[in-house]
Amino acid sequence: MRKTLFGIILLTLTILLSGCAMYRLSEEEYSERAINSYRQGKYSDAWGYYRLLIAYYPNSSKIDQYREQLCETLLKLSKTSKEPFKSGYLNEIQILNIGSDTLLAWLDFQSAMDIDDPAEAKKVFEEITLEQYLLAAQYSLNRMNFSDAILAYDKALDIHSKNPDCYKAAFLAGFVCQEHLKDNERAEKYYRIVVDNYPNSDLADDAAWTLKNMGKSIDEIEFLNITDEPNPNL
C-alpha cells in the first residue's frame, strides 16, 4: 500500500512537471509561490512548488532550505488529510529522506505505534534502535509534546532495557515527569530505574540525589560542599 500510494504521489508530480515544462518559472518565482501557498494554507500547491524547486534547482544554495520546507509542508498535509493520504505524505518524508534525524526517528516510532497487529508491531519496535527512540522523544520534546516523549522513553525501556545506555531514557523520562508534567511520583519511578538497574552509569548519582531531595524546599536540599576559599593557583 505504501509503495502504491507513493507511486500515485510521484505520478501526480510527473504530471505537474510535464505541465509546467512549457513555461518553466525562475527559482525566485517558484520560491515566492511556494511560500505564499504555504502561508495561505494551500499545502498541496506548496508541496508541488517545493518539489519543482528541488527538481529544477538541485544545485541551488537554498536547496537545504527547500528540502526542509518541503518536509514541513508534508507534515501539514499529513495533519489535514485522511488515510491513506496521511500515511502517504509521512512515507514520502521517509522515502525522500528529507527530514531531520529527530523527525525521521519520530516517524519510525509513529509508524510502529499505528500497527494494529501486536506481533507485527513488536517486530517493528524491536527494529528501532535505542538512539532512534531517544531522537523520537527529543522531536516530541521540541514541540512540547511531553506525553508523547514519555511514550518513546517507555518503549525504549521496554525494548532495550539490557542496553547499558538505556539509563538515558529512564533519567530523561524522570526529568520530563518532574519538570514538565509536575508528576513527582511518576518521576521517582524512572529515577529509581536508573539507581537500581544502572548503578554504574554516569547519571546514577544524579538520580540518587534527585530522589533524596525531590519535593524538598530550597532550604532543605543538601547541596554539595563547595568551598569559598580562593584557589592558590589562580
Side-chain angles (χ1 to χ4, degrees):
M1 172 62 76
R2 292 180 179 179
K3 292 183 178 179
T4 301
L5 185 56
F6 185 64
I8 294 173
I9 292 174
L10 288 181
L11 177 60
T12 303
L13 178 63
T14 301
I15 295 173
L16 181 62
L17 285 169
S18 299
C20 294
M22 297 178 62
Y23 47 94
R24 177 170 167 175
L25 304 177
S26 67
E27 179 180 352
E28 291 73 20
E29 289 173 313
Y30 278 127
S31 179
E32 182 178 353
R33 292 191 179 192
I35 292 172
N36 288 337
S37 296
Y38 185 91
R39 288 175 176 173
Q40 295 169 14
K42 299 178 180 178
Y43 302 122
S44 294
D45 291 345
W47 168 80
Y49 289 127
Y50 282 125
R51 289 300 302 269
L52 288 171
L53 279 166
I54 293 172
Y56 284 151
Y57 304 101
N59 298 318
S60 170
S61 60
K62 297 181 179 179
I63 190 63
D64 289 338
Q65 179 181 335
Y66 298 149
R67 290 170 64 85
E68 180 179 344
Q69 290 169 332
L70 172 59
C71 179
E72 291 299 323
T73 302
L74 286 166
L75 285 174
K76 287 290 187 180
L77 283 168
S78 72
K79 293 178 180 179
T80 56
S81 303
K82 296 181 179 180
E83 296 292 358
F85 292 100
K86 177 180 178 179
S87 296
Y89 291 125
L90 294 177
N91 290 338
E92 183 177 352
I93 295 175
Q94 294 174 299
I95 293 172
L96 296 178
N97 195 29
I98 57 176
S100 64
D101 289 342
T102 55
L103 171 58
L104 294 174
W106 178 80
L107 289 175
D108 285 340
F109 177 63
Q110 287 300 309
S111 295
M113 292 286 287
D114 291 338
I115 297 175
D116 294 327
D117 184 349
E120 182 182 353
K122 183 176 184 296
K123 179 180 179 181
V124 177
F125 279 128
E126 290 176 345
E127 293 174 350
I128 300 175
T129 66
L130 172 60
E131 182 63 25
Q132 287 175 308
Y133 279 115
L134 296 177
L135 289 172
Q138 187 59 52
Y139 179 85
S140 294
L141 290 178
N142 292 343
R143 284 151 182 79
M144 310 295 283
N145 295 328
F146 304 118
S147 295
D148 287 349
I150 294 297
L151 288 176
Y153 289 137
D154 280 341
K155 187 56 67 173
L157 289 166
D158 177 40
I159 301 296
H160 298 288
S161 61
K162 295 183 179 180
N163 186 321
D165 287 333
C166 203
Y167 71 90
K168 298 175 183 177
F171 188 90
L172 289 169
F175 180 83
V176 171
C177 288
Q178 181 184 8
E179 295 297 321
H180 298 294
L181 299 180
K182 305 303 179 183
D183 188 341
N184 284 352
E185 183 177 351
R186 198 173 176 189
E188 182 177 349
K189 179 190 72 172
Y190 291 112
Y191 288 133
R192 186 67 61 189
I193 290 175
V194 178
V195 173
D196 295 343
N197 297 356
Y198 307 94
N200 298 320
S201 68
D202 56 10
L203 288 177
D205 289 342
D206 298 84
W209 182 90
T210 303
L211 285 170
K212 185 176 181 179
N213 294 285
M214 188 182 299
K216 292 182 179 180
S217 67
I218 190 69
D219 295 330
E220 298 174 308
I221 295 178
E222 297 181 16
F223 293 99
L224 296 175
N225 292 323
I226 301 177
T227 179
D228 293 329
E229 296 180 3
N231 188 333
N233 296 321
L234 295 180

